Amino acid sequence: MSRSWYILHTYTGYEGKIERTIRSLIEKGDIDGNVVLDVKVPVEELVEMKDGKKKTRMNKFLPGYIMLEMDLPELGWKDTCSQLYRIQGVTGFVGNISRNNRPVPISKDEAMNLLQKSGVIKGDKAVRVRQSFNLGDTVKITDGAFATFSGTIKEINVEKEKLSVEVQIFGRPTPVEVTFLQVEKI
């Protein structure tokens, strides 16, 4: 037996309910707590500007999937898996063609990446900014040295979450680089 992370496919929107059901089954002893060690619904922090205010919410970045850390035994793995399959909303394990096959774990690198992105493991927790800007949009800068200036978006860098905004300074068009959180659409 070796501890590994598995991805359980569920109906979208049922992730939280299924996570609570699995935890409840472990507490009752219906599922062995030595086999199913941990249950996670991968979520990330999403920041968006709304009405000039910064709003933060948690967003599922893998809708319809749950991460399970399991120590599946060579013999008797079917009992645990059949308990999981009986939960309403569970459709199966990712990578499994048939319920008669042993589930396939994800690699340790994939698991670490998903856990880091959701902030479970310390590291660079990804905070994603909701972006809804287009080239040519008129925006007002709300923060920084150029606060209260208005301008037109000339360039969008999604990876760095930055915009190049052309503002009028002393009657001349001047490009200014700002982050997504420093502007709001007009």
Side-chain angles (χ1 to χ4, degrees):
M1 295 194 308
S2 66
R3 295 170 71 138
S4 298
W5 285 94
Y6 297 81
I7 304 292
L8 189 64
H9 187 257
T10 67
Y11 294 157
T12 303
Y14 280 62
E15 302 90 351
K17 180 180 180 186
I18 292 171
E19 178 190 19
R20 289 188 300 276
T21 302
I22 292 171
R23 292 187 189 282
S24 171
L25 290 171
I26 292 169
E27 286 175 16
K28 288 184 206 171
D30 293 339
I31 293 179
D32 189 356
N34 295 322
V35 175
V36 179
L37 306 168
D38 201 0
V39 184
K40 301 274 184 228
V41 175
V43 293
E44 65 184 340
E45 194 173 341
L46 182 68
V47 178
E48 59 186 341
M49 293 297 287
K50 211 173 211 179
D51 300 327
K53 295 179 184 169
K54 186 168 131 180
K55 303 218 181 203
T56 305
R57 66 181 173 98
M58 300 311 278
N59 188 41
K60 294 176 196 144
F61 64 86
L62 289 177
Y65 297 96
I66 293 177
M67 295 179 68
L68 289 176
E69 185 179 22
M70 297 193 298
D71 195 1
L72 277 181
E74 291 299 319
L75 301 173
W77 62 267
K78 282 188 176 184
D79 296 335
T80 302
C81 291
S82 65
Q83 286 282 12
L84 293 169
Y85 290 137
R86 283 189 215 131
I87 299 171
Q88 183 179 1
V90 171
T91 59
F93 284 93
V94 170
N96 250 17
I97 298 169
S98 165
R99 289 186 177 196
N100 294 326
N101 295 340
R102 184 180 167 90
V104 179
I106 60 174
S107 71
K108 293 202 183 305
D109 290 339
E110 287 175 313
M112 293 299 282
N113 184 21
L114 290 171
L115 292 169
Q116 241 177 358
K117 190 174 180 181
S118 64
V120 174
I121 294 178
K122 299 291 184 231
D124 295 334
K125 183 178 177 186
V127 176
R128 197 168 57 111
V129 177
R130 187 174 198 176
Q131 187 266 107
S132 61
F133 302 109
N134 296 311
L135 291 176
D137 284 352
T138 303
V139 294
K140 178 181 177 185
I141 300 174
T142 59
D143 190 26
F146 298 97
T148 70
F149 279 81
S150 294
T152 306
I153 297 175
K154 295 296 181 185
E155 190 178 319
I156 302 171
N157 187 335
V158 178
E159 291 82 36
K160 292 184 179 180
E161 297 180 350
K162 293 194 176 197
L163 301 171
S164 178
V165 178
E166 190 174 271
V167 297
Q168 293 289 326
I169 299 177
F170 302 118
R172 295 183 179 197
T174 307
V176 176
E177 191 173 273
V178 293
T179 66
F180 289 171
L181 293 175
Q182 290 179 304
V183 297
E184 65 180 36
K185 275 186 170 182
I186 296 179

